[in-house]
Amino acid sequence: MSSIIQLLPDHVANQIAAGEVVQRPASVVKELLENAVDAGATDIKLIIKDAGKALVQVIDNGLGMSVTDARLCFERHATSKIRHAEDLFSLHTKGFRGEALASIAAIAHMEMKTKQDQEELGTHIVIEGSKFVSQDVAVLPKGTSFAVKNLFFNIPARRNFLKSDTVEYRHVIDEFQRVALAHPKIHFTFYHNGSEMFNLPPSTLRQRIVNVFSGKTNEKLVPVQEETEIVSIQGFVSKPEFAKKNRSEQFFFVNDRFIKSGYLHHAVMAAYDGILKDGAQPSYFLYLTVPPNTIDINIHPTKTEIKFDDEHALYAILRASIKHSLGQFNVAPVLDFDRDSNLDTPYHYKDLKGATPTIQVDGNFNPFSEEKPSKQFASYRKPEPTANWESLYVGLKQDTDENGSVTFENEEVTSSLFNDEEVEHAVHKTYQIHKKYIVSSIKSGMVIVDQQRAHQRVLYENFLVNMTVLQASSQQLLFPLNLFFSSTEMELIAELQFSLMNTGFVFEETNKDHIVISGIPVNVTESEVSLVLEQLLSDLQDGIPESSFSQNDTIAKSMAKSLAVKTGTHLTEKEQENLVNGLFACKDPNVSPFQKPTFITMRVEDLDKKFAL
Ligand code: ADP
Ligand code: MG
C-alpha cells in the first residue's frame, strides 16, 4: 500500500494554528499590544474600526526590527524571546511562542512598518493570507506599526461567527484594559471609528486604575501591600460599600500578565467574608510578583490561566493581606476621637444618599379612597387603585384556572360591626411565612404565593406596559443625579438611552464618563437608581438585543429583578394584599419574568387526602 502521510503546507498549518490564537478581533489586539510592550515601547496607540472587524492597528515607539527580522517575524515559531527550553522558566516577556504574527497573517490582510532607532530607513511589508505581496524600503519613525484588515477574509465561517459590534468591541476593551492596567508607565491611546476612547498618560498604578475606570474610582480604593518570600502583592481592593453587581472590575496580574484564577478569586472573597451584601462583587486590582520559575504559564493556549507551585500558601497570604487592608480601613473611624457617636448609623444606612425631596403629582389620588399605598408597591396600583380580594377572580385568565380556580373565599361580613380596616383584615386574611411566602385561603383551598417572584412579575408587566403602550410617568428630581460609569458602560447606556427614557428616566446630559439624570421612573426611588442601572449593565454584558422589543423586554426584566421585594423582607398585611392583588391582575400571573412559578394552590381535597392517613 502506498504511503499517505504528508507534511501540511505552511499556510495551511498557519491557518490551523490561527484557530487557537485568533478567535476574534480582540485576540489580535491582545497579541499586537503585547508585542509592542515586549519591544520596550513607552507609547502605544491602538486604532480600531468597526469593533476591530475592519481594522486593528497598533503603533508603537519600541525597538523596531531589522530588515531580516521584519521578514522573519511572520514565520511560525519565529521568536526573539526564547532560545532554549530553559528560558521558559525565566520568562519576562508576554510572548514566546512565535506564532501570533504567523497566525494573524494567515487569516487577514496585514501591513507592517518598522524601523530601528539607529537605522536611516525602515521596512514596509504587505502580506495577505500568508503570501508576501510587497516589501519596500521606507522613511519611517522609530518603532513598529501593524495594521490588520479584513480579519478572517479567507475563512467565511469564522467571520460569520463573530458577534455584533457591541460584543466584539467589549472584548477589545477588555484586552486593552488588561494590558493598560498591567503597564501604568506606558502611554496608551485608543481610538474607535475615529473617536478617542482612552488616553492614558504614564502614571502611578492608582492613577492608571482611576483613568481607566472613571473619576469616581479613586475614593473606593484601599491599598494592599505584602512582601513575602514566595510572593509580593501590590494593588488595590474596593471598600465593601462600593461593591458592584458584576465582576467587571476584578483583575489579577502575575508578573505583569493578566490572569484568571477562580482559586485566587475565592481567596479575595474569603477576605470580604461577612462584610459584603449577598451577590455583591468587590473591585480588585491585584498585582502578584513571583519568581518566574515557580509558575507554569504554558498550560493554556491563550495564557490567561497559570499554575503556581504553592497555591495554598498564595491563597492564605492573599486572603490575610486583603483582610488586613480592609481591617485598617474599617477601624480607622474608631481612632477619630472628635467623632460624635450619636452620628453613628446602622451599617446599611451608610449607603443611602440623603433623600432629595421630589415633586410628584398623582392624578388618581383621592383622599377618601383608601390607605395610601406604600412606595414599594405603588407601581402596580396604577392606573387603578387596589381592587378587593374578589377582584382576583376577575383578573384571572381562563388558563390560570387549570388546577382549580383561584377564587377567594367570600365570607359574609356585616360591616357595621367593624371599622373599614378591620373588616378588610377580617375578610381577607393573608399570612406571610418565613418572610418568603404569602398564604391565603381561597374557595377551593389555599394559595401560596412566592413574594419575590410575584413582585417581579407585577413590576415586569408594569414596566413593559409603560414602555410600549403608555408614556411612562417620571418623577422630576429637584437636584439632578450625577452618575459615573466606565467608558464601556457609557457606550451601553448611550445605546439604551431611548428605551430607558421610555421607562421614565430623563437624561439631562450624557458625557464621556458620567450622566446627569433629572427624572426617574415613578416606581424607582432615588437611592435605587444606581443599583438599577448597574444591574442592567451587568445583565447586558453579553450584548444588547437587536430589536427594540427585546431591548424593552431585557430592561423590564432587569429592573423588575432589581426592584422586586426580596425573600426575607417583612411585608405588612396591606402590602401582602396589594401584592397578591397585583399578581392576579397580571396578564400572565403564573410565572415570574424568568419563567419560575409564582404561586401554587392546594385544594381542600388535597389537604383532606393528607389527613386521611
Ligand atoms: P512572540 O511574541 O511569541 O515572540 P510573535 O509572532 O508575536 O511571537 O512575534 C514574533 C517576533 O516578531 C517577536 O519575537 C519579535 O522579535 C518580533 N516583533 C513582533 N512585534 C514586534 C514589535 N511591535 N516591535 C518589535 N519586534 C516585534
Ligand atoms: Mg507575540
Side-chain angles (χ1 to χ4, degrees), residues 31-32 35-39 60 62-65 69 72-75 78-81 94-102 114 143-146 303:
E31 295 298 336
L32 296 184
N35 279 346
V37 171
D38 282 346
D60 71 52
L63 287 175
M65 282 177 267
D69 283 354
L72 254 183
C73 72
F74 294 104
E75 295 295 323
T79 179
S80 55
K81 299 168 193 174
K94 315 264 153 193
F96 58 88
R97 292 161 181 266
E99 56 189 10
L101 293 180
T114 188
T144 306
S145 154
F146 279 101
K303 297 171 280 182

Side-chain angles (χ1 to χ4, degrees), residues 432 434-437 451-452 565-571:
Q432 194 188 21
H434 278 244
K435 296 186 187 158
K436 184 170 188 192
Y437 298 112
Q451 64 184 47
Q452 181 168 352
V565 281
K566 306 285 183 290
T567 295
T569 309
H570 170 78
L571 300 181

Side-chain angles (χ1 to χ4, degrees), residues 325-378:
S325 294
L326 290 173
Q328 277 193 327
F329 154 71
N330 276 333
V331 298
V334 177
L335 302 173
D336 184 357
F337 296 109
D338 291 329
R339 209 177 46 135
D340 180 356
S341 63
N342 289 327
L343 296 176
D344 276 357
T345 45
Y347 186 74
H348 66 282
Y349 282 114
K350 284 201 298 195
D351 296 346
L352 298 177
K353 302 207 181 72
T356 310
T358 58
I359 306 164
Q360 196 180 344
V361 180
D362 179 353
N364 293 320
F365 180 68
N366 173 354
F368 304 106
S369 60
E370 56 180 316
E371 195 181 319
K372 194 147 173 34
S374 76
K375 172 89 192 127
Q376 216 159 25
F377 294 102

Side-chain angles (χ1 to χ4, degrees), residues 414-571:
T414 39
S415 55
S416 60
L417 291 177
F418 306 93
N419 70 32
D420 266 6
E421 210 171 320
E422 278 168 353
V423 170
E424 232 171 279
H425 290 163
V427 182
H428 314 300
K429 201 81 186 160
T430 56
Y431 299 93
Q432 194 188 21
I433 296 183
H434 278 244
K435 296 186 187 158
K436 184 170 188 192
Y437 298 112
I438 300 166
V439 180
S440 185
S441 183
I442 53 174
K443 239 185 190 146
S444 64
M446 68 194 263
V447 60
I448 306 173
V449 174
D450 180 312
Q451 64 184 47
Q452 181 168 352
R453 291 179 189 175
H455 198 202
Q456 284 177 350
R457 162 56 59 185
V458 169
L459 289 172
Y460 168 72
E461 290 201 3
N462 188 261
F463 278 122
L464 269 191
V465 170
N466 276 348
M467 291 164 84
T468 48
V469 186
L470 302 169
Q471 265 286 7
S473 25
S474 154
Q475 45 177 328
Q476 172 105 39
L477 299 172
L478 272 186
F479 302 101
L481 278 177
N482 267 316
L483 295 174
F484 286 79
F485 293 99
S486 71
S487 56
T488 331
E489 292 170 333
M490 285 302 302
E491 286 260 315
L492 287 174
I493 289 176
E495 284 194 48
L496 289 174
Q497 194 165 345
F498 186 71
S499 302
L500 284 172
M501 278 156 57
N502 286 340
T503 69
F505 281 102
V506 180
F507 291 82
E508 198 164 283
E509 284 172 43
T510 42
N511 297 300
K512 210 167 163 212
D513 65 345
H514 72 282
I515 52 178
V516 182
I517 292 181
S518 59
I520 58 180
V522 281
N523 36 20
V524 176
T525 64
E526 204 176 326
S527 60
E528 288 166 332
V529 172
S530 69
L531 175 103
V532 165
L533 290 177
E534 279 222 13
Q535 179 68 54
L536 181 62
L537 294 171
S538 136
D539 289 343
L540 289 163
Q541 290 279 301
D542 290 327
I544 294 178
E546 306 285 340
S547 75
S548 73
F549 167 75
S550 42
Q551 251 187 42
N552 287 345
D553 187 66
T554 310
I555 292 177
K557 271 191 188 137
S558 170
M559 291 181 51
K561 181 164 70 186
S562 309
L563 295 169
V565 281
K566 306 285 183 290
T567 295
T569 309
H570 170 78
L571 300 181

